[in-house]
Amino acid sequence: AGPFETSYRLELSGLWIKTMRTKSVPASDDFAFSRYNAEPNDVRSWNIQGLPQDDFSTENGVCVTEGRRWPLCVDPQRQANMWIKKMEEPKGIKVVDQKMANFIRELENAIQFGLPVLLENVGEELDPSLEPLLLKQVFKSGGINCIRLGDSVVEYSDMFRFYMTTKLPNPHYLPEVCIKVTVINFTVTMQGLPAQLLADVTTIERPDLETKKETLVLQIADGRKTI
């Protein structure tokens, strides 16, 4: 459900839970994707790094960090772009563009040394040379993990991470692109805007509540670890 907005995601999950009940499959009444798939400490770190505090953004954060395929974020307001840069800054993130002359060379170096890469300004088509990377066509050569990019064979580090963002507000990706990436919709909708603004207002107007919330999040996380 990554490409869809809040209302449709809620509609889908509600439909699935209803179907599960008719099949006598146990399901929580208060199920929330972000609550069951994200660690409170991770969410707190994401918020500090610039990810908005609403549930929709947290769901997107889970999809970006836990998805099997590399994420392609539909990001007209550049929220995902700024968050990913801040999150991966300590690891030396490389920011590249398909129009750069040394684009492939930068990518090869990052893959070899295990540096995260953010590919900005993606259009509706991806460079064909990226296909082995998107499909994670890693192979062993002399006991070392390698990947082929164009005519080059590059040593592949398990620490490597690859992110893509597009500023297009409503891109149309062909099925052959969608099956190679995890498309995630970061577009701020009218439903999501009040939740984001409320979180910002609380932080500014009642910083004591925000501090209390962070303390409780940490206490709950520590309690879960203890249990």
Side-chain angles (χ1 to χ4, degrees), residues 87-93 114-116 159 161:
M87 177 175 64
E88 296 289 10
E89 188 178 28
K91 298 177 184 175
I93 187 170
L115 303 175
M159 299 296 291
R161 293 290 177 270

Side-chain angles (χ1 to χ4, degrees), residues 30-40 55 58-59 62 224:
D30 62 341
F31 174 79
F33 175 84
S34 55
R35 192 185 312 139
Y36 285 92
N37 291 278
E39 289 293 330
D55 286 343
T58 304
E59 290 171 7
V62 174
R224 282 180 177 169

Side-chain angles (χ1 to χ4, degrees), residues 82-208:
M82 291 186 288
W83 167 57
I84 291 168
K85 285 178 181 175
K86 191 76 174 173
M87 177 175 64
E88 296 289 10
E89 188 178 28
K91 298 177 184 175
I93 187 170
K94 299 287 183 184
V95 181
V96 297
D97 192 303
Q98 289 183 133
K99 295 177 183 176
M100 288 170 58
N102 61 340
F103 162 58
I104 294 296
R105 175 59 60 193
E106 288 280 352
L107 202 52
E108 288 176 355
N109 288 337
I111 291 170
Q112 185 176 355
F113 296 108
L115 303 175
V117 170
L118 171 61
L119 177 59
E120 292 184 315
N121 304 321
V122 172
E124 292 189 338
E125 294 180 3
L126 295 174
D127 192 316
S129 62
L130 292 175
E131 184 157 325
L133 182 59
L134 299 179
L135 295 176
K136 299 187 178 181
Q137 294 176 341
V138 180
F139 59 92
K140 289 276 188 183
S141 177
I144 297 171
N145 285 336
C146 297
I147 194 167
R148 185 179 296 278
L149 276 186
D151 298 327
S152 306
V153 175
V154 184
E155 186 177 331
Y156 187 89
S157 169
D158 290 335
M159 299 296 291
F160 172 73
R161 293 290 177 270
F162 189 49
Y163 307 91
M164 294 161 281
T165 60
T166 177
K167 289 190 286 187
L168 300 175
N170 190 25
H172 177 68
Y173 290 111
L174 295 173
E176 50 263 38
V177 173
C178 293
I179 61 172
K180 296 171 188 171
V181 299
T182 299
V183 179
I184 306 169
N185 185 3
F186 268 85
T187 306
V188 179
T189 61
M190 287 306 293
Q191 297 101 317
L193 186 59
Q196 291 193 17
L197 291 175
L198 181 61
D200 290 341
V201 168
T202 305
T203 303
I204 294 166
E205 297 286 339
R206 293 294 304 274
D208 57 313

